[in-house]
Amino acid sequence: MQQKAIIVFIRSPGGARVKSRLAESIGDERAQVLYRFFVEDLLDTVVRQDARLRVYYEPSDAKEDIARWLGDGYALFPQRDEDLGAKMRQAFEETFEQGYHSALLIGSDVPDLPDDVFREGFGALPGHDAVLGPSMDGGYYLVGFRDETFRPEIFEGIPWSTNMVFQKTLEIFISLGDAVHILPVWRDIDVVEDLKALMHRHGESPFRHSRTLRYLLNQKDFIRQD
């Protein structure tokens, strides 16, 4: 059995509003299209890794919608209808209960996350209790554990959706005496400025051929430089 797992959190783009902050600037329809491309581009990278992919979706009754969108080739699991910390704790607990020895969990706001980050994350886990990937907005885009070092405490008492998420999480790790490997800082895609930055840094990179970048290059009207 594959000993490593990558957990990806996604939302169904056909139901409730997705990428709400982005949608305020570019509209719901474009935000939904972009979100689909974010997920599809990210999954293209994840399936190349030496790990089993586990997709956790919300809302919890959206399995048929997700399967129609992504196809039947993915292991799909519902997220709990609770706060983000409880959802992540659940995903890790279920994954380790299935016999995986190490797992990385990521969100779907980092479509350009490269192979190197996953390799570094799994490569660091044998010598560390956890790995954590800080995002530029003060949150984190990735967290990972070995089964024997999993710490549900790091999901408790966190001010989610604030710029203190990474700092508070790291403080809990430190208080527990855990050795944490910090991955490179990455930029989530939440607002139009993030889209501009995404296009700028991938002008010549392989990611310029992604669904996300191809779409953006044809939609420059809503991300034009002022």
Side-chain angles (χ1 to χ4, degrees):
M1 180 178 179
Q2 174 59 257
Q3 295 184 343
K4 296 183 290 188
I6 298 175
I7 302 163
V8 181
F9 271 25
I10 70 170
R11 289 186 60 85
S12 171
R17 194 181 202 192
V18 296
K19 305 305 300 174
S20 57
R21 293 171 62 196
L22 196 56
E24 290 174 2
S25 300
I26 68 174
D28 288 335
E29 183 176 349
R30 280 168 161 170
Q32 286 191 1
V33 171
L34 271 173
Y35 182 73
R36 288 177 181 270
F37 291 155
F38 290 176
V39 172
E40 292 166 15
D41 287 336
L42 180 61
L43 293 182
D44 281 350
T45 302
V46 172
V47 297
R48 294 197 297 265
Q49 311 311 311
D50 180 26
R52 187 69 58 84
L53 170 60
R54 293 168 63 87
V55 176
Y56 275 78
Y57 60 85
E58 64 173 349
S60 58
D61 60 354
K63 185 173 184 177
E64 290 185 5
D65 292 339
I66 299 295
R68 279 195 297 270
W69 166 27
L70 297 179
D72 299 325
Y74 296 97
L76 302 176
F77 308 91
Q79 297 178 33
R80 286 179 182 159
D81 296 324
E82 301 179 43
D83 71 15
L84 180 58
K87 294 174 190 289
M88 291 194 283
R89 184 179 68 243
Q90 166 216 2
F92 274 113
E93 289 172 348
E94 291 179 354
T95 298
F96 290 136
E97 286 170 1
Q98 290 299 308
Y100 294 94
H101 293 175
S102 59
L104 305 178
L105 185 152
I106 58 174
S108 49
D109 297 332
V110 283
D112 61 330
L113 202 62
D115 301 273
D116 289 349
V117 169
F118 295 103
R119 286 195 289 264
E120 182 177 341
F122 280 121
L125 277 175
H128 296 81
D129 299 303
V131 295
L132 197 61
S135 53
M136 291 181 64
D137 61 4
Y140 59 81
Y141 64 87
L142 182 152
V143 60
F145 298 93
R146 288 177 283 123
D147 55 348
E148 67 268 25
T149 63
F150 175 57
R151 290 286 200 179
E153 299 96 320
I154 68 126
F155 302 118
E156 299 172 1
I158 302 297
W160 303 111
S161 301
T162 73
N163 62 2
M164 294 300 294
V165 171
F166 174 79
Q167 184 61 38
K168 293 294 185 183
T169 302
L170 189 58
E171 288 174 1
I172 296 173
F173 275 127
I174 292 171
S175 71
L176 295 169
D178 289 347
V180 182
H181 177 79
I182 305 301
L183 294 166
V185 176
W186 215 258
R187 186 165 185 164
D188 291 346
I189 310 300
D190 291 318
V191 295
V192 169
E193 287 71 25
D194 298 327
L195 292 177
K196 294 177 182 178
L198 184 74
M199 292 186 69
H200 178 74
R201 68 177 176 266
H202 290 296
E204 298 299 329
S205 82
F207 191 74
R208 70 186 185 276
H209 301 299
S210 66
R211 301 170 186 83
T212 300
L213 260 291
R214 290 201 306 267
Y215 179 75
L216 290 175
L217 288 170
N218 289 320
Q219 302 286 327
K220 284 187 176 181
D221 60 297
F222 69 83
I223 56 169
R224 63 184 181 276
Q225 297 287 345
D226 295 327

